Amino acid sequence: MVTLKDISLKNYSLDNLKLISRLREKHFNTQTEVCVERALLMTRYLVQQNGSGDNGKLNRAKSIHHYLANRKVFFPDDNLLGGTTSSRAIGAPLYPEFMGLSIWPELDTISTRKKNPQLLSSEDAEHCNLEIFPYWMDRTVLEISRKKYNNPQSLQLLEKIVYYISGKAGCISHCVPDYSRILHEGAEAIIAEAREKELLLKANSNGSLEKIHFYRSVQIALKGLVAYAKNLSVGAQKLAEVEKNPFRKKNLQAISKVCAQVPAKPARNFREATNSLWLVQVGLHAENINMALSPGRIDQVLYPFYKKDRQNGSVSVEEALNICCCLWLKIADNTNLVPEAAEKLWGGAGSTPAVTLGGVDKDGEDAVNDLTFIFLKVTELMKLRDPSVNARYHYLVNSKAYRQRVVEVIINTKAIPAIHNDVTDIATLENQGLTAEHARDYAIVGCVELASSGRDYVASGSIMFNLYSVLELSLFNGRKFTMNNEQVGPETGEVDEFRTYDEFYEAFRIQLEWMLAQAIDLNEKFGKVHQEIITTPMLSSCFTGPMDSGKDLIEGGALYNSSGASFLAFPDLCDSLNAIEQVVFIEKKYTLKELVLALADNYNGAESLRLLLKNKTIKFGTEKALAIRNSRRVVNDIYSILQAHTNYRGGSYRPAFWTMTTHAGQGKLAGAMPNGRRAKEVFSSGITPGSQAAPDLTEAFNAVAALDHKKIPGGWALNMKYTPVLLNDQREDFQLKFGDLTEGFFRNGGMQVQFNVQDYKTLIDAKENPEKYPEMIVRVSGYSAYYKDLSDAMKDELIMRTEYNLMGGRSVPLPDSYRPSESI
Amino acid sequence: MNKISWLFDRFRFSGSKKDFIKCLEEESLDFFLENILRLMDLYLSVNRKFRLNIKDFNARYAFKSLDGKIDASVIFKDSKMEVRDYVIKDTDVTVMFRDGKALKNFLFSDSPDIIASILKSEISYTGNLNYLAKFAYMANHLKYKFTG
């Protein structure tokens, strides 16, 4: 329910929220440090335990417990909430069981590299080199899989980098846990339930040992979390006793009191509930890598506590705002550990924990409440990369005032939040077999992915699939021309054998099906290795299903299961297919062989052909029948191929179209394409029409909305760029048109859209003079990033995205003088 | 005797270091692998701290150039490093590379050249990537130590 008189909370700013202003400034001035604490404690524990006779599941839970119970108690600043993801103010935690060892060659240089250095002390580097990494070098998911499956072809293709990325080598994490139960009942209630179920199974002679171990693991892991909170409580009290500063002393005492209560016991007020949620997140990160583990609908989860406190007068709006800002800073206290080559190609991402605001509730009623607006205000004030903020909007239920407030925050931050269409998203999830009630309670995972909160183990980052490489294989009879012409895919015909566009497309479809089968094969193999060594008892206790079935999430314990596959270079692929059909098969201006020869030589000596393909062919993002048909056909085929597979947890494969920054990095590694794109140019992001491809704004929206959203259950990222309004008297009209056009897109079937309210000139200037824009935040392709942290390729892609003049509804031409960087 | 042997190693090491730096600066890098293995072997013998890298470390590496001109293997066993001028079997990792430059890019992965090398099939490997990462650390450490 909305009781706020001013939903914009105009009276609050960083000028009068002194604590928040101070904490925020410190956050921006703090450099990321590699944190090896978890890796070191867990490794030492596991080394000691070798030969103890425990099974892997219990050992995993015990090592998590050991880390949580023994980790450093750390209060880096005056944040009102207790608990940190790592033992650094902003930490990049090392997860050696995944890809943490990839920084091994860089231990001496990671602190000083040019792009996004991450500080690592020589002492910690030595811990890594001599203690942590040697233990794990035969025990990572990747290497265990390689050995177990004898270096399968699907793994060899992964290591070629350009076909697909298989997320499970580095994480699963991507999901939205349910925090409600711990907040309302406390972790001790879940521990007691697990204990009861364990005893019941033990009493039954037929009780499954697997299930007994699962319930035992839940208790062990959660007790670790409780121990960590108790240590925080004691630590805060000790610090308070010697603290001279009155504010700090009082705050430490309050944290001590809060952490003595939660998450072990039920939260009694808003501050305890918020801190409990954060501590659960910290616990989950002890178990699961910090990659898109998303807090979800926090305005719904925390609302009962806020409402009660407001009703009994124990919290003011300002106090709630302070607590929520502190939560934002806590969520932003960690980032990913990234090796240098990956940083240059794909860097700039945080850990993308997504929060979701607004929308409808389980019954389809308006879920927007006071806390929704408080969190929108927090988003507006803080302008942080993490959390990745998403606003749900149901055009039949939510108010226009809410819609316009979301728009206002986007304009003020120039980028956040992203907006999601409740109507299409709910229908899409229902089409995947979710009940209406469960579909309505969806939240966003990581970038744009959809998941029913605490019920749907979506593992949405399982596969990132490069459509460019499939197109290349279909143009070269299964050979990877740009990699020594190696035969990779099936032989589907030389280009001069195709008599019709449909014959060529069939070759593409066969290559697509074959390559997807490889990606799925590897995901299945990795999934099985996860089942053996990376169980997730704490995360499982935050889902509907595992506590009833006695099965860990990784074994299919969740109510709903799926794996996500996201596709990159979709707009470039569509434009290429359009160009082939139009120029080769309809207009017959060139043969496919001539086109392929030009591609092989990166259009050298074929500039007139390239210009024809680039400027005179039908583009995705227009409402031309051929463009609509080809884009829908690709989406439909991807959906049919993926949904025919069942994953190792008994769930489906869900296609998605978000690309993080991979469209920039992979573009730099790719050859020329039939849409006139030269080799090494960046791809278009997500599902966004190519640079300058769609001059009419409404038409661009309509073309994307024409895709069948039910066949994109993983979600899409549509990135739009609007010229900012400079004159105040135009602002109201701009805001209204912004909201109306977004709603029109949604009414036509659009799922999601995110914006950058920036012009070419500013983005070019920010690329050339990063020091002038230290806090500039942008939407990349699904998440937010600080512009200065991005690679040159990614900055170029953001600059080249079509800029639209919203009021005129037309694109603004890219300055002729602009030249993207040659290098990465 | 040990002191004399240590001083002799230091002397040889000093010469290898110069060769190594010179080799890094050269375009062809024909002797890159030979130099880095020689330097690593010597540095292990003179630097106790560096020697910790191979304490209790048993691993077998093979390196093979695609033109067949360079074959080498390294065996770490009993805290010692042994270099052979042929390709051994039963390795933890085998690296195939076009030439010294490709191998240098791969080991000293301070740029996306490493990815370009993979894409152009200038370098490939079979076996456990983490063993290669450890070797790359040791090589990088030498480079960092001697070239700053």
Side-chain angles (χ1 to χ4, degrees), chain A residues 101 104-105 107-108 126 129-130 137-138 140 143 146 159-160 162 340-341 344-345 482-484 669, chain B residues 49 52-53 110 112 114-115 118-121 125 127-131 133-134 136-137 140-141 144:
Chain A
L101 275 64
W104 204 341
L107 289 176
D108 289 330
E126 202 166 301
N129 182 42
L130 299 177
M137 60 196 298
D138 293 312
T140 60
E143 295 307 335
R146 193 196 306 277
E159 291 187 320
K160 295 290 184 187
V162 293
E340 182 160 22
K344 283 185 177 172
L345 278 167
T482 48
M483 289 171 70
N484 293 347
L669 305 176
Chain B
K49 199 172 173 193
L52 290 174
N53 279 294
D110 56 356
I114 182 176
I115 292 168
I118 292 171
L119 290 180
K120 286 185 246 163
S121 298
Y125 58 86
N128 186 324
L129 190 56
N130 295 327
Y131 282 70
K134 180 182 172 74
Y137 165 76
N140 269 291
H141 189 75
Y144 182 68

Tab-separated table of all heavy atoms in Angstrom, chain A residues 101 104-105 107-108 126 129-130 137-138 140 143 146 159-160 162 340-341 344-345 482-484 669, chain B residues 49 52-53 110 112 114-115 118-121 125 127-131 133-134 136-137 140-141 144:
chain	number	residue	atom	x	y	z
A	101	LEU	N	41.703	-20.106	-10.155
A	101	LEU	CA	43.106	-20.369	-10.493
A	101	LEU	C	43.549	-19.669	-11.782
A	101	LEU	O	44.739	-19.662	-12.110
A	101	LEU	CB	43.363	-21.884	-10.609
A	101	LEU	CG	43.684	-22.602	-9.290
A	101	LEU	CD1	42.520	-22.570	-8.311
A	101	LEU	CD2	44.112	-24.030	-9.538
A	104	TRP	N	46.367	-17.277	-11.507
A	104	TRP	CA	47.686	-17.778	-11.062
A	104	TRP	C	48.853	-17.106	-11.801
A	104	TRP	O	49.777	-16.575	-11.165
A	104	TRP	CB	47.741	-19.298	-11.217
A	104	TRP	CG	48.737	-19.990	-10.328
A	104	TRP	CD1	49.813	-19.430	-9.699
A	104	TRP	CD2	48.743	-21.373	-9.971
A	104	TRP	NE1	50.481	-20.377	-8.972
A	104	TRP	CE2	49.852	-21.581	-9.126
A	104	TRP	CE3	47.931	-22.454	-10.272
A	104	TRP	CZ2	50.165	-22.834	-8.594
A	104	TRP	CZ3	48.238	-23.703	-9.756
A	104	TRP	CH2	49.344	-23.892	-8.920
A	105	PRO	N	48.817	-17.053	-13.157
A	105	PRO	CA	49.974	-16.424	-13.842
A	105	PRO	C	50.127	-14.946	-13.512
A	105	PRO	O	51.177	-14.366	-13.761
A	105	PRO	CB	49.628	-16.600	-15.334
A	105	PRO	CG	48.610	-17.691	-15.382
A	105	PRO	CD	47.833	-17.574	-14.110
A	107	LEU	N	49.670	-13.381	-10.457
A	107	LEU	CA	49.740	-13.050	-9.022
A	107	LEU	C	50.665	-11.859	-8.750
A	107	LEU	O	50.428	-11.076	-7.838
A	107	LEU	CB	50.209	-14.273	-8.225
A	107	LEU	CG	49.196	-15.408	-8.107
A	107	LEU	CD1	49.814	-16.599	-7.376
A	107	LEU	CD2	47.925	-14.968	-7.397
A	108	ASP	N	51.721	-11.736	-9.553
A	108	ASP	CA	52.662	-10.622	-9.329
A	108	ASP	C	52.185	-9.310	-9.935
A	108	ASP	O	52.738	-8.256	-9.637
A	108	ASP	CB	54.032	-10.957	-9.946
A	108	ASP	CG	54.756	-12.050	-9.169
A	108	ASP	OD1	54.544	-12.155	-7.949
A	108	ASP	OD2	55.524	-12.811	-9.797
A	126	GLU	N	51.288	-15.270	-1.996
A	126	GLU	CA	52.032	-16.470	-1.589
A	126	GLU	C	51.076	-17.565	-1.093
A	126	GLU	O	51.273	-18.738	-1.380
A	126	GLU	CB	53.037	-16.087	-0.502
A	126	GLU	CG	54.166	-17.073	-0.388
A	126	GLU	CD	55.313	-16.497	0.437
A	126	GLU	OE1	55.856	-15.449	0.058
A	126	GLU	OE2	55.634	-17.116	1.471
A	129	ASN	N	49.736	-19.089	-4.225
A	129	ASN	CA	50.708	-19.845	-5.016
A	129	ASN	C	51.157	-21.131	-4.330
A	129	ASN	O	51.342	-22.155	-4.987
A	129	ASN	CB	51.920	-18.948	-5.310
A	129	ASN	CG	52.945	-19.644	-6.166
A	129	ASN	OD1	52.587	-20.325	-7.126
A	129	ASN	ND2	54.200	-19.498	-5.813
A	130	LEU	N	51.330	-21.061	-3.035
A	130	LEU	CA	51.935	-22.211	-2.361
A	130	LEU	C	50.946	-23.082	-1.595
A	130	LEU	O	51.261	-24.212	-1.238
A	130	LEU	CB	53.034	-21.727	-1.406
A	130	LEU	CG	54.194	-20.972	-2.067
A	130	LEU	CD1	55.183	-20.481	-1.019
A	130	LEU	CD2	54.898	-21.842	-3.108
A	137	MET	N	44.387	-27.574	-7.902
A	137	MET	CA	44.688	-27.663	-9.333
A	137	MET	C	44.130	-28.924	-9.997
A	137	MET	O	43.864	-28.909	-11.201
A	137	MET	CB	46.182	-27.453	-9.640
A	137	MET	CG	47.143	-28.392	-9.029
A	137	MET	SD	48.845	-27.713	-9.101
A	137	MET	CE	49.146	-27.563	-10.847
A	138	ASP	N	43.869	-29.948	-9.248
A	138	ASP	CA	43.206	-31.125	-9.825
A	138	ASP	C	41.740	-31.219	-9.389
A	138	ASP	O	41.092	-32.234	-9.643
A	138	ASP	CB	43.931	-32.407	-9.364
A	138	ASP	CG	45.324	-32.512	-9.941
A	138	ASP	OD1	45.455	-32.318	-11.171
A	138	ASP	OD2	46.276	-32.761	-9.175
A	140	THR	N	39.221	-28.509	-9.584
A	140	THR	CA	38.238	-27.542	-10.079
A	140	THR	C	37.178	-28.270	-10.907
A	140	THR	O	37.407	-29.374	-11.415
A	140	THR	CB	38.904	-26.474	-10.969
A	140	THR	OG1	39.508	-27.135	-12.088
A	140	THR	CG2	39.980	-25.705	-10.213
A	143	GLU	N	38.536	-29.112	-14.420
A	143	GLU	CA	39.527	-30.191	-14.561
A	143	GLU	C	38.974	-31.548	-14.144
A	143	GLU	O	39.347	-32.572	-14.723
A	143	GLU	CB	40.811	-29.836	-13.804
A	143	GLU	CG	41.540	-28.629	-14.385
A	143	GLU	CD	41.831	-28.738	-15.879
A	143	GLU	OE1	41.915	-29.860	-16.398
A	143	GLU	OE2	41.935	-27.676	-16.533
A	146	ARG	N	37.088	-32.544	-17.180
A	146	ARG	CA	37.983	-32.947	-18.272
A	146	ARG	C	38.466	-34.391	-18.072
A	146	ARG	O	38.452	-35.198	-18.988
A	146	ARG	CB	39.190	-32.012	-18.327
A	146	ARG	CG	40.010	-32.155	-19.611
A	146	ARG	CD	41.380	-31.518	-19.481
A	146	ARG	NE	41.354	-30.142	-19.065
A	146	ARG	CZ	41.166	-29.101	-19.882
A	146	ARG	NH1	40.936	-29.311	-21.152
A	146	ARG	NH2	41.190	-27.875	-19.415
A	159	GLU	N	36.958	-24.310	-25.037
A	159	GLU	CA	38.269	-23.695	-24.871
A	159	GLU	C	38.741	-22.956	-26.114
A	159	GLU	O	39.759	-22.277	-26.082
A	159	GLU	CB	39.279	-24.748	-24.392
A	159	GLU	CG	38.934	-25.156	-22.963
A	159	GLU	CD	39.934	-26.074	-22.298
A	159	GLU	OE1	40.444	-26.991	-22.975
A	159	GLU	OE2	40.203	-25.873	-21.113
A	160	LYS	N	37.983	-23.073	-27.194
A	160	LYS	CA	38.262	-22.233	-28.373
A	160	LYS	C	37.645	-20.846	-28.198
A	160	LYS	O	37.825	-19.965	-29.035
A	160	LYS	CB	37.722	-22.890	-29.652
A	160	LYS	CG	38.410	-24.187	-30.014
A	160	LYS	CD	39.832	-23.944	-30.487
A	160	LYS	CE	40.471	-25.256	-30.952
A	160	LYS	NZ	41.892	-25.061	-31.263
A	162	VAL	N	35.247	-19.047	-28.897
A	162	VAL	CA	34.362	-18.300	-29.791
A	162	VAL	C	33.033	-19.007	-30.109
A	162	VAL	O	32.204	-18.446	-30.822
A	162	VAL	CB	35.068	-17.972	-31.129
A	162	VAL	CG1	36.203	-16.996	-30.895
A	162	VAL	CG2	35.558	-19.228	-31.813
A	340	GLU	N	43.404	-10.799	-16.472
A	340	GLU	CA	43.579	-9.603	-17.287
A	340	GLU	C	42.986	-9.704	-18.695
A	340	GLU	O	42.301	-8.778	-19.147
A	340	GLU	CB	45.066	-9.249	-17.389
A	340	GLU	CG	45.286	-7.975	-18.192
A	340	GLU	CD	46.628	-7.324	-17.931
A	340	GLU	OE1	47.525	-8.024	-17.474
A	340	GLU	OE2	46.746	-6.118	-18.198
A	341	ALA	N	43.245	-10.801	-19.377
A	341	ALA	CA	42.740	-10.900	-20.749
A	341	ALA	C	41.215	-10.825	-20.746
A	341	ALA	O	40.610	-10.163	-21.596
A	341	ALA	CB	43.213	-12.196	-21.393
A	344	LYS	N	40.066	-7.251	-20.145
A	344	LYS	CA	40.141	-6.392	-21.326
A	344	LYS	C	39.010	-6.686	-22.299
A	344	LYS	O	38.480	-5.793	-22.937
A	344	LYS	CB	41.493	-6.571	-22.024
A	344	LYS	CG	42.604	-5.838	-21.293
A	344	LYS	CD	43.904	-5.914	-22.051
A	344	LYS	CE	44.972	-5.113	-21.333
A	344	LYS	NZ	46.291	-5.292	-21.900
A	345	LEU	N	38.673	-7.953	-22.428
A	345	LEU	CA	37.642	-8.311	-23.401
A	345	LEU	C	36.228	-8.146	-22.851
A	345	LEU	O	35.326	-7.714	-23.547
A	345	LEU	CB	37.824	-9.766	-23.842
A	345	LEU	CG	38.861	-9.993	-24.930
A	345	LEU	CD1	39.175	-11.463	-25.059
A	345	LEU	CD2	38.379	-9.438	-26.253
A	482	THR	N	37.803	-18.586	-39.960
A	482	THR	CA	38.703	-17.675	-39.251
A	482	THR	C	39.646	-18.405	-38.298
A	482	THR	O	40.440	-17.775	-37.615
A	482	THR	CB	37.896	-16.627	-38.467
A	482	THR	OG1	36.878	-17.299	-37.730
A	482	THR	CG2	37.280	-15.604	-39.390
A	483	MET	N	39.549	-19.728	-38.225
A	483	MET	CA	40.493	-20.497	-37.405
A	483	MET	C	41.089	-21.604	-38.261
A	483	MET	O	40.787	-22.780	-38.078
A	483	MET	CB	39.801	-21.069	-36.168
A	483	MET	CG	39.453	-19.986	-35.152
A	483	MET	SD	38.431	-20.561	-33.803
A	483	MET	CE	39.575	-21.574	-32.918
A	484	ASN	N	41.902	-21.198	-39.219
A	484	ASN	CA	42.628	-22.130	-40.098
A	484	ASN	C	41.705	-23.043	-40.903
A	484	ASN	O	42.093	-24.144	-41.276
A	484	ASN	CB	43.605	-23.001	-39.296
A	484	ASN	CG	44.721	-22.167	-38.728
A	484	ASN	OD1	44.898	-21.018	-39.126
A	484	ASN	ND2	45.464	-22.728	-37.793
A	669	LEU	N	36.714	-10.594	-31.832
A	669	LEU	CA	37.368	-11.850	-32.223
A	669	LEU	C	36.769	-12.448	-33.493
A	669	LEU	O	37.210	-13.493	-33.954
A	669	LEU	CB	37.239	-12.882	-31.086
A	669	LEU	CG	37.753	-12.457	-29.709
A	669	LEU	CD1	37.469	-13.539	-28.680
A	669	LEU	CD2	39.243	-12.162	-29.758
B	49	LYS	N	63.470	-19.555	-1.857
B	49	LYS	CA	62.043	-19.198	-1.839
B	49	LYS	C	61.353	-19.651	-3.128
B	49	LYS	O	60.245	-20.185	-3.110
B	49	LYS	CB	61.889	-17.686	-1.660
B	49	LYS	CG	60.512	-17.298	-1.188
B	49	LYS	CD	60.415	-15.840	-0.839
B	49	LYS	CE	58.969	-15.496	-0.545
B	49	LYS	NZ	58.741	-14.068	-0.496
B	52	LEU	N	60.356	-23.227	-3.355
B	52	LEU	CA	59.112	-23.675	-2.703
B	52	LEU	C	58.023	-24.001	-3.726
B	52	LEU	O	57.112	-24.770	-3.470
B	52	LEU	CB	58.591	-22.594	-1.738
B	52	LEU	CG	59.412	-22.366	-0.473
B	52	LEU	CD1	58.866	-21.163	0.300
B	52	LEU	CD2	59.407	-23.608	0.408
B	53	ASN	N	58.141	-23.370	-4.906
B	53	ASN	CA	57.160	-23.634	-5.974
B	53	ASN	C	57.105	-25.104	-6.372
B	53	ASN	O	56.084	-25.571	-6.878
B	53	ASN	CB	57.517	-22.814	-7.228
B	53	ASN	CG	57.047	-21.383	-7.114
B	53	ASN	OD1	55.853	-21.118	-7.080
B	53	ASN	ND2	57.978	-20.452	-7.023
B	110	ASP	N	49.709	-10.975	-20.752
B	110	ASP	CA	49.345	-9.646	-20.285
B	110	ASP	C	48.577	-8.873	-21.353
B	110	ASP	O	48.419	-7.679	-21.289
B	110	ASP	CB	50.591	-8.859	-19.848
B	110	ASP	CG	51.624	-8.763	-20.951
B	110	ASP	OD1	51.397	-9.361	-22.014
B	110	ASP	OD2	52.643	-8.095	-20.738
B	112	PRO	N	45.334	-9.569	-24.671
B	112	PRO	CA	44.485	-10.564	-25.327
B	112	PRO	C	45.189	-11.284	-26.465
B	112	PRO	O	44.576	-12.023	-27.193
B	112	PRO	CB	43.306	-9.726	-25.836
B	112	PRO	CG	43.311	-8.496	-25.004
B	112	PRO	CD	44.758	-8.234	-24.727
B	114	ILE	N	46.857	-13.653	-26.086
B	114	ILE	CA	46.673	-15.067	-25.743
B	114	ILE	C	45.456	-15.624	-26.472
B	114	ILE	O	45.458	-16.740	-26.973
B	114	ILE	CB	46.539	-15.244	-24.205
B	114	ILE	CG1	46.405	-16.716	-23.853
B	114	ILE	CG2	45.384	-14.459	-23.643
B	114	ILE	CD1	46.358	-16.970	-22.362
B	115	ILE	N	44.419	-14.808	-26.571
B	115	ILE	CA	43.199	-15.265	-27.241
B	115	ILE	C	43.432	-15.305	-28.748
B	115	ILE	O	43.041	-16.256	-29.421
B	115	ILE	CB	42.021	-14.365	-26.850
B	115	ILE	CG1	41.727	-14.595	-25.368
B	115	ILE	CG2	40.790	-14.671	-27.687
B	115	ILE	CD1	40.805	-13.622	-24.748
B	118	ILE	N	45.162	-18.427	-29.592
B	118	ILE	CA	44.288	-19.600	-29.611
B	118	ILE	C	43.442	-19.600	-30.886
B	118	ILE	O	43.297	-20.614	-31.557
B	118	ILE	CB	43.392	-19.626	-28.356
B	118	ILE	CG1	44.258	-19.879	-27.121
B	118	ILE	CG2	42.312	-20.696	-28.478
B	118	ILE	CD1	43.534	-19.709	-25.815
B	119	LEU	N	42.912	-18.428	-31.216
B	119	LEU	CA	42.051	-18.340	-32.397
B	119	LEU	C	42.794	-18.715	-33.673
B	119	LEU	O	42.247	-19.359	-34.554
B	119	LEU	CB	41.496	-16.921	-32.550
B	119	LEU	CG	40.470	-16.490	-31.517
B	119	LEU	CD1	40.015	-15.080	-31.786
B	119	LEU	CD2	39.276	-17.430	-31.525
B	120	LYS	N	44.042	-18.283	-33.735
B	120	LYS	CA	44.815	-18.563	-34.943
B	120	LYS	C	45.454	-19.953	-34.883
B	120	LYS	O	46.270	-20.290	-35.730
B	120	LYS	CB	45.905	-17.492	-35.111
B	120	LYS	CG	45.347	-16.149	-35.565
B	120	LYS	CD	46.486	-15.178	-35.838
B	120	LYS	CE	46.467	-14.040	-34.865
B	120	LYS	NZ	47.666	-13.271	-34.758
B	121	SER	N	45.089	-20.685	-33.848
B	121	SER	CA	45.650	-22.022	-33.634
B	121	SER	C	47.173	-21.983	-33.573
B	121	SER	O	47.854	-22.916	-33.969
B	121	SER	CB	45.179	-23.003	-34.713
B	121	SER	OG	43.798	-23.130	-34.658
B	125	TYR	N	46.715	-26.823	-26.381
B	125	TYR	CA	47.231	-27.646	-25.289
B	125	TYR	C	46.301	-28.815	-25.047
B	125	TYR	O	45.118	-28.761	-25.388
B	125	TYR	CB	47.384	-26.815	-24.007
B	125	TYR	CG	46.103	-26.189	-23.546
B	125	TYR	CD1	45.211	-26.891	-22.727
B	125	TYR	CD2	45.760	-24.900	-23.937
B	125	TYR	CE1	44.018	-26.317	-22.330
B	125	TYR	CE2	44.578	-24.320	-23.546
B	125	TYR	CZ	43.701	-25.036	-22.738
B	125	TYR	OH	42.524	-24.481	-22.356
B	127	GLY	N	45.435	-31.447	-21.745
B	127	GLY	CA	45.739	-31.702	-20.341
B	127	GLY	C	45.166	-30.644	-19.431
B	127	GLY	O	44.271	-29.888	-19.822
B	128	ASN	N	45.709	-30.612	-18.244
B	128	ASN	CA	45.150	-29.783	-17.185
B	128	ASN	C	45.665	-28.347	-17.294
B	128	ASN	O	46.862	-28.091	-17.131
B	128	ASN	CB	45.544	-30.400	-15.832
B	128	ASN	CG	44.892	-29.701	-14.661
B	128	ASN	OD1	44.713	-28.494	-14.665
B	128	ASN	ND2	44.535	-30.482	-13.646
B	129	LEU	N	44.726	-27.430	-17.521
B	129	LEU	CA	45.085	-26.025	-17.722
B	129	LEU	C	45.729	-25.412	-16.478
B	129	LEU	O	46.550	-24.501	-16.575
B	129	LEU	CB	43.816	-25.254	-18.099
B	129	LEU	CG	43.961	-23.823	-18.576
B	129	LEU	CD1	44.900	-23.735	-19.759
B	129	LEU	CD2	42.593	-23.257	-18.949
B	130	ASN	N	45.373	-25.921	-15.300
B	130	ASN	CA	45.922	-25.348	-14.067
B	130	ASN	C	47.425	-25.601	-13.936
B	130	ASN	O	48.146	-24.805	-13.335
B	130	ASN	CB	45.195	-25.905	-12.846
B	130	ASN	CG	43.744	-25.467	-12.836
B	130	ASN	OD1	43.421	-24.368	-13.286
B	130	ASN	ND2	42.855	-26.320	-12.334
B	131	TYR	N	47.884	-26.727	-14.504
B	131	TYR	CA	49.325	-26.987	-14.482
B	131	TYR	C	50.056	-25.965	-15.348
B	131	TYR	O	51.154	-25.521	-15.026
B	131	TYR	CB	49.619	-28.426	-14.963
B	131	TYR	CG	49.346	-29.454	-13.891
B	131	TYR	CD1	48.043	-29.738	-13.493
B	131	TYR	CD2	50.392	-30.116	-13.247
B	131	TYR	CE1	47.778	-30.659	-12.496
B	131	TYR	CE2	50.138	-31.046	-12.244
B	131	TYR	CZ	48.830	-31.313	-11.878
B	131	TYR	OH	48.564	-32.210	-10.883
B	133	ALA	N	48.894	-22.982	-15.872
B	133	ALA	CA	48.808	-21.707	-15.136
B	133	ALA	C	49.935	-21.609	-14.119
B	133	ALA	O	50.538	-20.553	-13.936
B	133	ALA	CB	47.451	-21.595	-14.452
B	134	LYS	N	50.241	-22.726	-13.467
B	134	LYS	CA	51.332	-22.716	-12.481
B	134	LYS	C	52.680	-22.450	-13.179
B	134	LYS	O	53.476	-21.632	-12.706
B	134	LYS	CB	51.392	-24.056	-11.733
B	134	LYS	CG	52.517	-24.098	-10.705
B	134	LYS	CD	52.589	-25.430	-10.014
B	134	LYS	CE	53.835	-25.525	-9.135
B	134	LYS	NZ	53.747	-24.749	-7.902
B	136	ALA	N	53.071	-20.932	-15.975
B	136	ALA	CA	53.039	-19.538	-16.442
B	136	ALA	C	53.354	-18.586	-15.291
B	136	ALA	O	54.018	-17.567	-15.482
B	136	ALA	CB	51.671	-19.216	-17.035
B	137	TYR	N	52.868	-18.920	-14.087
B	137	TYR	CA	53.198	-18.073	-12.929
B	137	TYR	C	54.708	-18.059	-12.708
B	137	TYR	O	55.315	-16.998	-12.521
B	137	TYR	CB	52.492	-18.568	-11.658
B	137	TYR	CG	53.096	-17.933	-10.428
B	137	TYR	CD1	52.806	-16.602	-10.111
B	137	TYR	CD2	54.010	-18.614	-9.626
B	137	TYR	CE1	53.401	-15.981	-9.024
B	137	TYR	CE2	54.610	-18.005	-8.540
B	137	TYR	CZ	54.300	-16.690	-8.241
B	137	TYR	OH	54.898	-16.070	-7.175
B	140	ASN	N	56.276	-16.076	-15.416
B	140	ASN	CA	55.963	-14.655	-15.222
B	140	ASN	C	56.744	-14.071	-14.056
B	140	ASN	O	57.164	-12.912	-14.095
B	140	ASN	CB	54.463	-14.487	-14.953
B	140	ASN	CG	53.689	-14.265	-16.237
B	140	ASN	OD1	53.815	-13.229	-16.868
B	140	ASN	ND2	52.885	-15.250	-16.622
B	141	HIS	N	56.893	-14.877	-13.021
B	141	HIS	CA	57.611	-14.415	-11.844
B	141	HIS	C	59.060	-14.082	-12.220
B	141	HIS	O	59.612	-13.068	-11.771
B	141	HIS	CB	57.560	-15.479	-10.749
B	141	HIS	CG	58.095	-15.000	-9.436
B	141	HIS	ND1	57.381	-14.142	-8.628
B	141	HIS	CD2	59.268	-15.241	-8.812
B	141	HIS	CE1	58.104	-13.879	-7.544
B	141	HIS	NE2	59.258	-14.542	-7.634
B	144	TYR	N	58.993	-10.895	-14.235
B	144	TYR	CA	58.705	-9.770	-13.338
B	144	TYR	C	59.946	-9.414	-12.517
B	144	TYR	O	60.285	-8.260	-12.317
B	144	TYR	CB	57.541	-10.182	-12.443
B	144	TYR	CG	57.064	-9.120	-11.480
B	144	TYR	CD1	56.430	-7.973	-11.948
B	144	TYR	CD2	57.217	-9.291	-10.111
B	144	TYR	CE1	55.963	-7.021	-11.063
B	144	TYR	CE2	56.760	-8.343	-9.225
B	144	TYR	CZ	56.139	-7.207	-9.698
B	144	TYR	OH	55.689	-6.268	-8.831
